[in-house]
Amino acid sequence: MPIEITSTIANHVLFHTGHGGYPAGSFTTALLRAWEQADYANAARLAQGWPAYAAALELVGVRGGIDRLRSLASSTT
């Protein structure tokens, strides 16, 4: 089953990475900060718990990923 990146998640990741969007709440903000600090093993653990955030963060580093996140962020489904 494919991982769904919701518009909310896309907006949180865009905001966190300085590409627009809107801010997350305190827990999700702390989670995204932890991801920044995590080594590979701990990032993999975070991805197990929050796979959609992992997928969105991965898009940030991929060609065209920011545009894809912006598209997802503006969707209503």
Side-chain angles (χ1 to χ4, degrees):
M1 185 158 135
I3 296 169
E4 178 188 359
I5 300 172
T6 65
S7 62
T8 299
I9 290 170
N11 274 293
H12 291 167
V13 170
L14 285 168
F15 184 85
H16 182 75
T17 58
H19 294 100
Y22 55 77
S26 60
F27 176 82
T28 302
T29 298
L31 176 67
L32 292 169
R33 284 189 191 134
W35 230 302
E36 287 177 344
Q37 309 264 329
D39 59 20
Y40 180 80
N42 286 308
R45 287 184 183 108
L46 290 170
Q48 287 178 341
W50 294 274
Y53 276 98
L57 286 166
E58 188 174 324
L59 279 177
V60 173
V62 174
R63 183 181 201 147
I66 297 297
D67 290 335
R68 178 73 180 125
L69 283 173
R70 285 182 175 141
S71 176
L72 291 166
S74 65
S75 71
T76 57
T77 58

